[in-house]
Amino acid sequence: MMDIPSRLLRWAVHATACGLLVLAVLSSLREDRVAVAAGGLALGVVYAAGPMVSGGRRVVWLGLVTAGWVVLAVAAPPFVWLAFPLLFAYLEVLPLWGAMFGVAVLTSAAILAAAWHAGELTLPLVLGPSVGAAVVTLLALACKALRREVERTEQESPIRP
């Protein structure tokens, strides 16, 4: 049986990441910040390599993507919002305790970067990323639970393909 909810979520996350990245790169180009736009393209290439990375190298990949995101989030405001698809990567790659820690740190970093660019810390800048992180976490955990249920059901089924 196909794990349709997880596949749909994965595609939606990748499409969101791609869309946000394109918008951020175009915004940087409009501001004549070619180096920042080039960094965005480089981040896109590293991010796109994620599905091809396996095993322990996935943590290295996640670290590279995170480092690139930090640099770009500080460089230009549109890159801050790439934190949301990155949260899904944390929840997919890391064990639950590490993912929860990573989600908290990444959400805090997104809040701080957004506030730094805005020149002040406002309630919407705190609530937006916080609520987004909570929703991302619940969606990812729900899909993992569905995946486990599908695997359990397939193992118990007397009819095997």
Side-chain angles (χ1 to χ4, degrees):
M1 180 176 201
M2 294 178 64
D3 187 12
I4 294 172
S6 290
R7 287 177 189 245
L8 288 174
L9 180 61
R10 199 170 293 124
W11 278 105
V13 168
H14 293 321
T16 300
C18 182
L20 289 170
L21 189 60
V22 166
L23 290 173
V25 167
L26 290 176
S27 175
S28 297
L29 288 173
R30 267 194 311 270
E31 296 173 2
D32 290 325
R33 301 184 69 193
V34 178
V36 174
L41 292 175
L43 178 62
V45 168
V46 174
Y47 178 84
M52 296 176 276
V53 178
S54 61
R57 293 179 294 200
R58 287 178 53 90
V59 174
V60 173
W61 168 82
L62 185 59
L64 290 173
V65 172
T66 301
W69 173 80
V70 167
V71 170
L72 291 168
V74 169
F79 288 99
V80 171
W81 309 117
L82 282 166
F84 292 109
L86 190 52
L87 292 171
F88 278 104
Y90 275 76
L91 291 157
E92 182 69 28
V93 170
L94 299 175
L96 185 58
W97 66 269
M100 293 294 101
F101 178 77
V103 165
V105 170
L106 195 65
T107 303
S108 299
I111 291 168
L112 292 173
W116 183 67
H117 286 296
E120 64 179 335
L121 181 63
T122 63
L123 188 59
L125 288 179
V126 173
L127 288 180
S130 298
V131 170
V135 170
V136 163
T137 301
L138 292 173
L139 275 172
L141 293 177
C143 281
K144 279 187 176 188
L146 283 171
R147 189 179 316 138
R148 282 192 305 271
E149 181 63 22
V150 165
E151 290 169 358
R152 186 186 63 77
T153 303
E154 287 177 347
Q155 288 176 352
E156 293 175 357
S157 174
I159 300 173
R160 306 253 172 169

